[in-house]
Amino acid sequence: MPALNWKIAGAAGEGIKVSGLILSKALFRQGVNIHGYTEYPSLIRGGHNTFQVAASIEKAHAPKVALDVMVALNANAVLNHQEEFTDQTAIVADLNLIKNDLTGFKRQNQIIDIPLAKIARDSGGGLLVKNTVALGASGYLLNLPLESLNQILTETFARKGEEVVKLNHQAASLGYDYVKTNFPDKKLNFAYPGKPPADKIFLTGNEAIALGAVAGGLKFYTAYPMTPTTAILHYLAAHADQFGLVVRHGENEIGVVNSAIGAAFAGVRSMVATSGGGFSLMTEGLGLSGVTETPLVVVLGMRPGPASGMPTWSSQGDLLFAINASQDEFPRLVFTPGDPAEAFEAARLAQNLSEKYQTPALVLTDKYLSESYFTVDRFADQHLNQRHSLADSKALPNDQPFPRYQLTDNGISPRPLPGTPGGVHLTNSYEHDELGYATEESKVRTAQVDKRNRKFASMSQEESLPQPVLFGPQNAATTIVSWGSNKGVIRQALNLLPDVNFIHLPLVWPFPEKTLAKLLASAKKLVTLECNSTGQLNRLIREQTGITIDRKLLKYDGRPFYPEEIVEKL
Amino acid sequence: MTTNLHSPKRVTALPPTWCPGCGNFGILGSIKAALDQLTVTPDQAVFVYDVGCSGNMADFVYAYGFHSLHGRALSSAAGIKLANHHLPVISVIGDGGCFGEGVDHFIGLSRGNHDITVLTHDNYLYSLTTGQKSPLTPKGTVTPSTPDGTIDEAFNPLGVAILNQATFVARGFAGDIPHLTKLLIAAISHSGFSLLDILQPCPTYKKDRSYAWYRDHIYYLDQEAGYQTNDRKLALQKTLETDRLPVGIFFEETKPAYHQQVISLKDTPLVSQTIDSINIGPALKEFI
Ligand SMILES: Cc1ncc(C[n+]2csc(CCOP(=O)(O)OP(=O)(O)O)c2C)c(N)n1
């Protein structure tokens, strides 16, 4: 399968991500699928940043290790990445700047030595356009038409004025020409279709979640910034007027969750997003949503913890926390999307189902899914929504409290929205009777718990819930079971593993017992794969099905699995 | 003021569970009177209750109600207002909930001038949990959690509100229902963040501050010659008085409320904006 693997690395603040995105877009427009993956420390300046772009004619699910081109903006960008180099890797570097630090580096002959700093200065753009020179150089190596790079530079810098655009074009062409003149035979033999893949888009998991929520009727979004979901706040804030949303950066996560519940009580669909630390602060609010039967969608972007952990890295350590957070018991949904397509759908469904069942819905993501770039099928433009579980305003009693928590067969009690004549009622965080008034009566308490639990039984039957899916051959010697963002990586690994298949869980709660049991029954050797240290899905499967899976592939260093790693460990 | 002859039902069938002589009775009486005089019907008002003796009013008021978490009533109230800004949103909260557990929300929402009315039932104690110190308890007070006397200095709620740009700041007394009713009407009518701190006797746990004690210690700001409610510095000075307690409106000003500055709320309340059919097509162009 024809594919390219490019990476840029340098210090934080050097514009690594912008450069990676420009190249990604240029490649995408030439008709290839793109996967972009970024690593960076929790710092604004200094530190080591990377952006990796995997491009392929067929679907790219995940980046591989071995690089075709590395753009090294400093010595660490060479020395820290030696395991990713093969004999074919072209290393673009300005030896004027880093020669002395590379003594002992064995692949000197693979260095495409280009005076990035000098060319940048000569171009008139100064050191600011050093990356653009490197992009031009990369363009030649990747056989990318210079015009396609220039087009994206225009789009990226148009806001800063014509002069800036011109300087960048100049810098790109100087970089391109320098490599063409001095390293003509280093050009990769890669043929591009020449036009963007039809009906594809290129975006992050965070952007997909934001769009999915909007498609599902989101009106009120509030959050307190926390990696890796901060970009949802940025995206929705920037588009609030376009979509007709209220977006509020709240005073803290406790205020955030309680105001989202308030807005939902008043009748609008609301959502919050955070990471484990913020979610910890929100847990009492989660229970408030549960017992008051007020819809709430929470996006939980996982990163390594506990406490502050490794803020800008990835993890899957919060699976059981998401399922169990808050005191006592109430129904909830926990989606575990594996890619932006599933993330979009999860966020859209979460809005609808949370309203229908009047209970919280969680969308679990992680830094890898939230902040990486993926090429996916374009989402539908038009999305129809129905309002769910609202009281019919014509049938309401007058001057009587409305039975907000009426005992019903499916557990769902219709709710009138504040302001509706005749619907006056109390929504209560205390245990309550059918009218909403606080109670400590044994029978009433039991009846209300049972009523809420009946919603869990009803939602478990919900047809729209995403079910476990099998990838790879029907019959295989080994079956990998996993969830969330490992999906792409494992699918990529399957290309190298003919006798292995893979079961992905896009939703873990209500636990998809029936579908999974069926799939597990026909599997031979089972292994679970997760980015945590104890195998939380493995534990959950045993708890829910009685099936013990002895083998676990675990990784918890903050990095996602690489396909090659899976092949090796299996 | 004229009495409304067609006063709608204001209370539920449940008898209040407060101790005899509790200041919450007077506050409930004032709320009923204020709603009558404002002619707000039960379906057109939303009350958000905190957790405390004060918040237990949830079961007794006949109006849309949300009984929230301890300390979080103001956050829920702000969300409700942003979702439907046509409804008056009134929160009932104790001094513990507002200035202790939830003080971050109090300050943040005050600075945002969120259009909510905050009634703090100020009994200088945590009453529902049997009388421990609250942020307002004077230094040196012996309570079950501070047997040697509180070490902390007391919080100044009105001063903090004024410093944090609240646009309506007042103090009332649960023992003067007509005066409190007037303040309530002004607070609910005010557009923007309004704090009405209510001196509330707690005959069970705060025996040294009886109705008589309060009557001896309060004086009325509107009877004070030359007092202006638009003078921030003067108002701040008044909040520092502890020997005699001024009641009335300390400070008020007119400023756009939070929701009035949100572009998507210009024409229609959020809850009335349809979600039947959403087109994300134009937004997808960015991702090609
Ligand atoms: C998170 C949380 N912490 C503690 C409590 C226990 N609690 C209930 S009411 C209360 C304090 C009540 O004091 P205040 O807010 O002044 O209200 P009052 O009872 O005096 O009206 C406390 C600490 C709780 N319900 N929730």
Side-chain angles (χ1 to χ4, degrees), chain A residues 489-513:
Chain A
V489 186
I490 300 173
R491 289 187 67 188
Q492 197 77 15
L494 288 191
N495 293 336
L496 308 167
L497 297 163
D499 209 10
V500 176
N501 59 15
F502 157 47
I503 300 168
H504 165 64
L505 277 74
L507 173 111
V508 291
W509 205 257
F511 192 78
E513 203 184 311

Side-chain angles (χ1 to χ4, degrees), chain B residues 157-172:
Chain B
L158 300 168
V160 169
I162 291 166
L163 285 173
N164 285 285
Q165 312 291 331
T167 49
F168 181 98
V169 180
R171 182 191 278 145

Side-chain angles (χ1 to χ4, degrees), chain B residues 10-154:
Chain B
R10 294 289 177 205
V11 288
T12 65
L14 300 169
T17 47
W18 298 311
C19 308
C22 174
N24 284 322
F25 285 104
I27 301 174
L28 177 56
S30 291
I31 288 175
K32 288 195 289 193
L35 293 178
D36 278 351
Q37 289 181 37
L38 289 165
T39 64
V40 174
T41 54
D43 54 43
Q44 290 303 312
V46 184
F47 282 79
V48 184
Y49 307 92
D50 208 72
V51 168
C53 291
S54 39
N56 284 345
M57 191 185 283
D59 286 0
F60 318 136
V61 172
Y62 182 70
Y64 275 101
F66 186 86
H67 203 159
S68 73
L69 297 171
H70 180 54
R72 315 304 169 197
L74 273 51
S75 296
S76 297
I80 294 167
K81 188 71 191 188
L82 287 171
N84 190 349
H85 61 258
H86 282 173
L87 298 175
V89 180
I90 301 154
S91 49
V92 168
I93 185 168
D95 50 317
C98 197
F99 310 123
E101 188 83 313
V103 69
D104 34 8
H105 314 304
F106 168 66
I107 292 174
L109 298 170
S110 171
R111 284 172 39 241
N113 201 26
H114 287 261
D115 187 13
I116 57 177
T117 304
V118 180
L119 310 180
T120 45
H121 297 218
D122 192 348
N123 52 16
Y124 294 86
L125 283 177
Y126 285 14
S127 289
L128 189 62
T129 46
T130 67
Q132 303 85 354
K133 66 153 187 176
S134 90
L136 266 66
T137 310
K139 184 172 168 67
T141 307
V142 172
T143 78
S145 62
T146 56
D148 298 328
T150 54
I151 293 173
D152 321 61
E153 293 286 355

